mmCIF file with all atom_site columns, all heavy atoms in Angstrom:
data_model
loop_
_atom_site.group_PDB
_atom_site.id
_atom_site.type_symbol
_atom_site.label_atom_id
_atom_site.label_alt_id
_atom_site.label_comp_id
_atom_site.label_asym_id
_atom_site.label_entity_id
_atom_site.label_seq_id
_atom_site.pdbx_PDB_ins_code
_atom_site.Cartn_x
_atom_site.Cartn_y
_atom_site.Cartn_z
_atom_site.occupancy
_atom_site.B_iso_or_equiv
_atom_site.pdbx_formal_charge
_atom_site.auth_seq_id
_atom_site.auth_comp_id
_atom_site.auth_asym_id
_atom_site.auth_atom_id
_atom_site.pdbx_PDB_model_num
ATOM 1   N N   . MET A 1 1   ? 187.583 182.576 130.352 1.00 60.00 ? 1291 MET A N   1
ATOM 2   C CA  . MET A 1 1   ? 188.094 181.277 129.904 1.00 60.00 ? 1291 MET A CA  1
ATOM 3   C C   . MET A 1 1   ? 186.923 180.329 129.669 1.00 60.00 ? 1291 MET A C   1
ATOM 4   O O   . MET A 1 1   ? 185.971 180.303 130.457 1.00 60.00 ? 1291 MET A O   1
ATOM 5   C CB  . MET A 1 1   ? 189.005 180.728 131.009 1.00 60.00 ? 1291 MET A CB  1
ATOM 6   C CG  . MET A 1 1   ? 190.112 179.790 130.572 1.00 60.00 ? 1291 MET A CG  1
ATOM 7   S SD  . MET A 1 1   ? 191.210 180.383 129.291 1.00 60.00 ? 1291 MET A SD  1
ATOM 8   C CE  . MET A 1 1   ? 192.786 180.264 130.159 1.00 60.00 ? 1291 MET A CE  1
ATOM 9   N N   . GLN A 1 19  ? 197.699 160.751 134.450 1.00 96.00 ? 1309 GLN A N   1
ATOM 10  C CA  . GLN A 1 19  ? 197.351 161.930 133.652 1.00 96.00 ? 1309 GLN A CA  1
ATOM 11  C C   . GLN A 1 19  ? 196.166 162.667 134.264 1.00 96.00 ? 1309 GLN A C   1
ATOM 12  O O   . GLN A 1 19  ? 196.129 163.897 134.275 1.00 96.00 ? 1309 GLN A O   1
ATOM 13  C CB  . GLN A 1 19  ? 197.043 161.532 132.196 1.00 96.00 ? 1309 GLN A CB  1
ATOM 14  C CG  . GLN A 1 19  ? 198.228 160.898 131.465 1.00 96.00 ? 1309 GLN A CG  1
ATOM 15  C CD  . GLN A 1 19  ? 199.461 161.790 131.429 1.00 96.00 ? 1309 GLN A CD  1
ATOM 16  O OE1 . GLN A 1 19  ? 199.366 163.020 131.405 1.00 96.00 ? 1309 GLN A OE1 1
ATOM 17  N NE2 . GLN A 1 19  ? 200.644 161.182 131.442 1.00 96.00 ? 1309 GLN A NE2 1
ATOM 18  N N   . SER A 1 33  ? 184.942 160.012 139.023 1.00 90.00 ? 1323 SER A N   1
ATOM 19  C CA  . SER A 1 33  ? 184.951 158.627 138.558 1.00 90.00 ? 1323 SER A CA  1
ATOM 20  C C   . SER A 1 33  ? 183.703 157.923 139.065 1.00 90.00 ? 1323 SER A C   1
ATOM 21  O O   . SER A 1 33  ? 183.170 158.248 140.126 1.00 90.00 ? 1323 SER A O   1
ATOM 22  C CB  . SER A 1 33  ? 186.215 157.907 139.022 1.00 90.00 ? 1323 SER A CB  1
ATOM 23  O OG  . SER A 1 33  ? 186.066 157.492 140.361 1.00 90.00 ? 1323 SER A OG  1
ATOM 24  N N   . ASP A 1 36  ? 184.062 156.328 142.615 1.00 89.00 ? 1326 ASP A N   1
ATOM 25  C CA  . ASP A 1 36  ? 184.037 157.279 143.733 1.00 89.00 ? 1326 ASP A CA  1
ATOM 26  C C   . ASP A 1 36  ? 182.635 157.818 143.971 1.00 89.00 ? 1326 ASP A C   1
ATOM 27  O O   . ASP A 1 36  ? 182.194 157.970 145.112 1.00 89.00 ? 1326 ASP A O   1
ATOM 28  C CB  . ASP A 1 36  ? 184.958 158.472 143.448 1.00 89.00 ? 1326 ASP A CB  1
ATOM 29  C CG  . ASP A 1 36  ? 186.424 158.079 143.489 1.00 89.00 ? 1326 ASP A CG  1
ATOM 30  O OD1 . ASP A 1 36  ? 186.706 156.978 144.025 1.00 89.00 ? 1326 ASP A OD1 1
ATOM 31  O OD2 . ASP A 1 36  ? 187.266 158.841 142.995 1.00 89.00 ? 1326 ASP A OD2 1
ATOM 32  N N   . ILE A 1 67  ? 173.462 155.299 137.384 1.00 92.00 ? 1357 ILE A N   1
ATOM 33  C CA  . ILE A 1 67  ? 174.808 155.867 137.236 1.00 92.00 ? 1357 ILE A CA  1
ATOM 34  C C   . ILE A 1 67  ? 174.735 157.221 136.521 1.00 92.00 ? 1357 ILE A C   1
ATOM 35  O O   . ILE A 1 67  ? 175.343 158.211 136.961 1.00 92.00 ? 1357 ILE A O   1
ATOM 36  C CB  . ILE A 1 67  ? 175.713 154.921 136.394 1.00 92.00 ? 1357 ILE A CB  1
ATOM 37  C CG1 . ILE A 1 67  ? 175.779 153.528 137.005 1.00 92.00 ? 1357 ILE A CG1 1
ATOM 38  C CG2 . ILE A 1 67  ? 177.088 155.524 136.180 1.00 92.00 ? 1357 ILE A CG2 1
ATOM 39  C CD1 . ILE A 1 67  ? 176.753 153.353 138.110 1.00 92.00 ? 1357 ILE A CD1 1
ATOM 40  N N   . MET A 1 70  ? 173.512 159.953 138.743 1.00 92.00 ? 1360 MET A N   1
ATOM 41  C CA  . MET A 1 70  ? 174.539 160.407 139.696 1.00 92.00 ? 1360 MET A CA  1
ATOM 42  C C   . MET A 1 70  ? 175.549 161.325 139.019 1.00 92.00 ? 1360 MET A C   1
ATOM 43  O O   . MET A 1 70  ? 175.905 162.380 139.548 1.00 92.00 ? 1360 MET A O   1
ATOM 44  C CB  . MET A 1 70  ? 175.295 159.205 140.273 1.00 92.00 ? 1360 MET A CB  1
ATOM 45  C CG  . MET A 1 70  ? 174.482 158.386 141.243 1.00 92.00 ? 1360 MET A CG  1
ATOM 46  S SD  . MET A 1 70  ? 175.493 157.011 141.833 1.00 92.00 ? 1360 MET A SD  1
ATOM 47  C CE  . MET A 1 70  ? 174.345 156.285 143.005 1.00 92.00 ? 1360 MET A CE  1
ATOM 48  N N   . ARG A 1 81  ? 181.251 173.592 137.618 1.00 90.00 ? 1371 ARG A N   1
ATOM 49  C CA  . ARG A 1 81  ? 180.633 174.614 136.775 1.00 90.00 ? 1371 ARG A CA  1
ATOM 50  C C   . ARG A 1 81  ? 181.553 175.010 135.617 1.00 90.00 ? 1371 ARG A C   1
ATOM 51  O O   . ARG A 1 81  ? 181.100 175.241 134.513 1.00 90.00 ? 1371 ARG A O   1
ATOM 52  C CB  . ARG A 1 81  ? 180.297 175.847 137.623 1.00 90.00 ? 1371 ARG A CB  1
ATOM 53  C CG  . ARG A 1 81  ? 179.360 176.815 136.917 1.00 90.00 ? 1371 ARG A CG  1
ATOM 54  C CD  . ARG A 1 81  ? 178.984 177.974 137.819 1.00 90.00 ? 1371 ARG A CD  1
ATOM 55  N NE  . ARG A 1 81  ? 178.225 177.554 138.983 1.00 90.00 ? 1371 ARG A NE  1
ATOM 56  C CZ  . ARG A 1 81  ? 178.601 177.727 140.250 1.00 90.00 ? 1371 ARG A CZ  1
ATOM 57  N NH1 . ARG A 1 81  ? 179.755 178.311 140.523 1.00 90.00 ? 1371 ARG A NH1 1
ATOM 58  N NH2 . ARG A 1 81  ? 177.846 177.322 141.240 1.00 90.00 ? 1371 ARG A NH2 1
ATOM 59  N N   . PRO A 1 90  ? 181.678 157.960 130.135 1.00 93.00 ? 1380 PRO A N   1
ATOM 60  C CA  . PRO A 1 90  ? 180.748 156.862 129.872 1.00 93.00 ? 1380 PRO A CA  1
ATOM 61  C C   . PRO A 1 90  ? 181.471 155.558 129.511 1.00 93.00 ? 1380 PRO A C   1
ATOM 62  O O   . PRO A 1 90  ? 182.604 155.581 129.063 1.00 93.00 ? 1380 PRO A O   1
ATOM 63  C CB  . PRO A 1 90  ? 179.948 157.380 128.675 1.00 93.00 ? 1380 PRO A CB  1
ATOM 64  C CG  . PRO A 1 90  ? 180.864 158.339 127.985 1.00 93.00 ? 1380 PRO A CG  1
ATOM 65  C CD  . PRO A 1 90  ? 181.709 158.949 129.049 1.00 93.00 ? 1380 PRO A CD  1
ATOM 66  N N   . GLN A 1 95  ? 175.277 155.387 127.712 1.00 92.00 ? 1385 GLN A N   1
ATOM 67  C CA  . GLN A 1 95  ? 175.735 156.361 128.710 1.00 92.00 ? 1385 GLN A CA  1
ATOM 68  C C   . GLN A 1 95  ? 176.266 157.625 128.025 1.00 92.00 ? 1385 GLN A C   1
ATOM 69  O O   . GLN A 1 95  ? 176.067 158.741 128.521 1.00 92.00 ? 1385 GLN A O   1
ATOM 70  C CB  . GLN A 1 95  ? 176.839 155.761 129.588 1.00 92.00 ? 1385 GLN A CB  1
ATOM 71  C CG  . GLN A 1 95  ? 176.337 154.665 130.531 1.00 92.00 ? 1385 GLN A CG  1
ATOM 72  C CD  . GLN A 1 95  ? 177.419 154.208 131.507 1.00 92.00 ? 1385 GLN A CD  1
ATOM 73  O OE1 . GLN A 1 95  ? 178.592 154.583 131.384 1.00 92.00 ? 1385 GLN A OE1 1
ATOM 74  N NE2 . GLN A 1 95  ? 177.039 153.385 132.467 1.00 92.00 ? 1385 GLN A NE2 1
ATOM 75  N N   . ALA A 1 105 ? 171.084 169.908 128.033 1.00 92.00 ? 1395 ALA A N   1
ATOM 76  C CA  . ALA A 1 105 ? 170.039 170.469 128.900 1.00 92.00 ? 1395 ALA A CA  1
ATOM 77  C C   . ALA A 1 105 ? 170.614 171.584 129.781 1.00 92.00 ? 1395 ALA A C   1
ATOM 78  O O   . ALA A 1 105 ? 169.904 172.502 130.179 1.00 92.00 ? 1395 ALA A O   1
ATOM 79  C CB  . ALA A 1 105 ? 169.411 169.372 129.752 1.00 92.00 ? 1395 ALA A CB  1
ATOM 80  N N   . LEU A 1 106 ? 171.905 171.478 130.091 1.00 91.00 ? 1396 LEU A N   1
ATOM 81  C CA  . LEU A 1 106 ? 172.562 172.510 130.908 1.00 91.00 ? 1396 LEU A CA  1
ATOM 82  C C   . LEU A 1 106 ? 173.207 173.582 130.026 1.00 91.00 ? 1396 LEU A C   1
ATOM 83  O O   . LEU A 1 106 ? 173.948 174.434 130.516 1.00 91.00 ? 1396 LEU A O   1
ATOM 84  C CB  . LEU A 1 106 ? 173.653 171.868 131.786 1.00 91.00 ? 1396 LEU A CB  1
ATOM 85  C CG  . LEU A 1 106 ? 173.202 170.830 132.815 1.00 91.00 ? 1396 LEU A CG  1
ATOM 86  C CD1 . LEU A 1 106 ? 174.401 170.072 133.378 1.00 91.00 ? 1396 LEU A CD1 1
ATOM 87  C CD2 . LEU A 1 106 ? 172.433 171.519 133.931 1.00 91.00 ? 1396 LEU A CD2 1
ATOM 88  N N   . ARG A 1 109 ? 178.575 171.628 126.600 1.00 92.00 ? 1399 ARG A N   1
ATOM 89  C CA  . ARG A 1 109 ? 178.926 170.511 125.730 1.00 92.00 ? 1399 ARG A CA  1
ATOM 90  C C   . ARG A 1 109 ? 180.312 170.003 126.068 1.00 92.00 ? 1399 ARG A C   1
ATOM 91  O O   . ARG A 1 109 ? 181.081 170.683 126.758 1.00 92.00 ? 1399 ARG A O   1
ATOM 92  C CB  . ARG A 1 109 ? 178.831 170.917 124.264 1.00 92.00 ? 1399 ARG A CB  1
ATOM 93  C CG  . ARG A 1 109 ? 179.747 172.054 123.908 1.00 92.00 ? 1399 ARG A CG  1
ATOM 94  C CD  . ARG A 1 109 ? 179.427 172.592 122.524 1.00 92.00 ? 1399 ARG A CD  1
ATOM 95  N NE  . ARG A 1 109 ? 180.406 173.624 122.189 1.00 92.00 ? 1399 ARG A NE  1
ATOM 96  C CZ  . ARG A 1 109 ? 181.638 173.368 121.751 1.00 92.00 ? 1399 ARG A CZ  1
ATOM 97  N NH1 . ARG A 1 109 ? 182.031 172.113 121.576 1.00 92.00 ? 1399 ARG A NH1 1
ATOM 98  N NH2 . ARG A 1 109 ? 182.477 174.346 121.490 1.00 92.00 ? 1399 ARG A NH2 1
ATOM 99  N N   . THR A 1 111 ? 184.095 169.187 125.698 1.00 95.00 ? 1401 THR A N   1
ATOM 100 C CA  . THR A 1 111 ? 185.209 169.842 125.010 1.00 95.00 ? 1401 THR A CA  1
ATOM 101 C C   . THR A 1 111 ? 185.985 168.816 124.182 1.00 95.00 ? 1401 THR A C   1
ATOM 102 O O   . THR A 1 111 ? 186.206 169.007 122.993 1.00 95.00 ? 1401 THR A O   1
ATOM 103 C CB  . THR A 1 111 ? 186.172 170.503 126.022 1.00 95.00 ? 1401 THR A CB  1
ATOM 104 O OG1 . THR A 1 111 ? 185.414 171.291 126.944 1.00 95.00 ? 1401 THR A OG1 1
ATOM 105 C CG2 . THR A 1 111 ? 187.201 171.363 125.310 1.00 95.00 ? 1401 THR A CG2 1
ATOM 106 N N   . ALA A 1 113 ? 187.254 164.308 124.073 1.00 97.00 ? 1403 ALA A N   1
ATOM 107 C CA  . ALA A 1 113 ? 187.435 162.975 124.639 1.00 97.00 ? 1403 ALA A CA  1
ATOM 108 C C   . ALA A 1 113 ? 188.904 162.617 124.417 1.00 97.00 ? 1403 ALA A C   1
ATOM 109 O O   . ALA A 1 113 ? 189.362 162.529 123.279 1.00 97.00 ? 1403 ALA A O   1
ATOM 110 C CB  . ALA A 1 113 ? 186.527 161.968 123.942 1.00 97.00 ? 1403 ALA A CB  1
ATOM 111 N N   . ASP A 1 155 ? 214.396 145.328 147.498 1.00 97.00 ? 1445 ASP A N   1
ATOM 112 C CA  . ASP A 1 155 ? 215.604 146.087 147.836 1.00 97.00 ? 1445 ASP A CA  1
ATOM 113 C C   . ASP A 1 155 ? 215.471 146.754 149.206 1.00 97.00 ? 1445 ASP A C   1
ATOM 114 O O   . ASP A 1 155 ? 216.461 146.944 149.912 1.00 97.00 ? 1445 ASP A O   1
ATOM 115 C CB  . ASP A 1 155 ? 215.839 147.213 146.810 1.00 97.00 ? 1445 ASP A CB  1
ATOM 116 C CG  . ASP A 1 155 ? 216.296 146.676 145.461 1.00 97.00 ? 1445 ASP A CG  1
ATOM 117 O OD1 . ASP A 1 155 ? 216.609 145.466 145.374 1.00 97.00 ? 1445 ASP A OD1 1
ATOM 118 O OD2 . ASP A 1 155 ? 216.329 147.466 144.502 1.00 97.00 ? 1445 ASP A OD2 1
ATOM 119 N N   . SER A 1 159 ? 212.139 141.460 151.727 1.00 97.00 ? 1449 SER A N   1
ATOM 120 C CA  . SER A 1 159 ? 211.013 140.530 151.645 1.00 97.00 ? 1449 SER A CA  1
ATOM 121 C C   . SER A 1 159 ? 210.893 139.937 150.246 1.00 97.00 ? 1449 SER A C   1
ATOM 122 O O   . SER A 1 159 ? 211.530 140.404 149.304 1.00 97.00 ? 1449 SER A O   1
ATOM 123 C CB  . SER A 1 159 ? 209.700 141.238 151.991 1.00 97.00 ? 1449 SER A CB  1
ATOM 124 O OG  . SER A 1 159 ? 209.762 141.755 153.295 1.00 97.00 ? 1449 SER A OG  1
ATOM 125 N N   . GLU A 1 170 ? 196.867 136.164 131.722 1.00 95.00 ? 1460 GLU A N   1
ATOM 126 C CA  . GLU A 1 170 ? 195.499 135.775 131.323 1.00 95.00 ? 1460 GLU A CA  1
ATOM 127 C C   . GLU A 1 170 ? 194.495 136.798 131.836 1.00 95.00 ? 1460 GLU A C   1
ATOM 128 O O   . GLU A 1 170 ? 193.542 137.149 131.148 1.00 95.00 ? 1460 GLU A O   1
ATOM 129 C CB  . GLU A 1 170 ? 195.070 134.409 131.887 1.00 95.00 ? 1460 GLU A CB  1
ATOM 130 C CG  . GLU A 1 170 ? 196.090 133.293 131.825 1.00 95.00 ? 1460 GLU A CG  1
ATOM 131 C CD  . GLU A 1 170 ? 197.018 133.322 133.035 1.00 95.00 ? 1460 GLU A CD  1
ATOM 132 O OE1 . GLU A 1 170 ? 196.622 132.898 134.136 1.00 95.00 ? 1460 GLU A OE1 1
ATOM 133 O OE2 . GLU A 1 170 ? 198.165 133.799 132.840 1.00 95.00 ? 1460 GLU A OE2 1
ATOM 134 N N   . VAL A 1 178 ? 187.471 142.919 127.452 1.00 91.00 ? 1468 VAL A N   1
ATOM 135 C CA  . VAL A 1 178 ? 186.306 143.677 127.933 1.00 91.00 ? 1468 VAL A CA  1
ATOM 136 C C   . VAL A 1 178 ? 186.447 145.144 127.515 1.00 91.00 ? 1468 VAL A C   1
ATOM 137 O O   . VAL A 1 178 ? 185.507 145.751 126.998 1.00 91.00 ? 1468 VAL A O   1
ATOM 138 C CB  . VAL A 1 178 ? 186.167 143.567 129.473 1.00 91.00 ? 1468 VAL A CB  1
ATOM 139 C CG1 . VAL A 1 178 ? 185.072 144.493 129.984 1.00 91.00 ? 1468 VAL A CG1 1
ATOM 140 C CG2 . VAL A 1 178 ? 185.897 142.126 129.880 1.00 91.00 ? 1468 VAL A CG2 1
ATOM 141 N N   . THR A 1 210 ? 202.590 166.625 128.476 1.00 97.00 ? 1500 THR A N   1
ATOM 142 C CA  . THR A 1 210 ? 202.895 167.802 127.664 1.00 97.00 ? 1500 THR A CA  1
ATOM 143 C C   . THR A 1 210 ? 202.025 167.833 126.411 1.00 97.00 ? 1500 THR A C   1
ATOM 144 O O   . THR A 1 210 ? 201.473 168.873 126.032 1.00 97.00 ? 1500 THR A O   1
ATOM 145 C CB  . THR A 1 210 ? 204.387 167.794 127.251 1.00 97.00 ? 1500 THR A CB  1
ATOM 146 O OG1 . THR A 1 210 ? 205.166 167.683 128.440 1.00 97.00 ? 1500 THR A OG1 1
ATOM 147 C CG2 . THR A 1 210 ? 204.771 169.054 126.500 1.00 97.00 ? 1500 THR A CG2 1
#
Side-chain angles (χ1 to χ4, degrees):
M1291 208 54 122
Q1309 298 302 329
S1323 81
D1326 290 344
I1357 304 277
M1360 288 180 177
R1371 194 176 296 120
Q1385 290 187 351
L1396 298 167
R1399 60 191 184 80
T1401 311
D1445 288 350
S1449 300
E1460 317 86 77
V1468 173
T1500 305

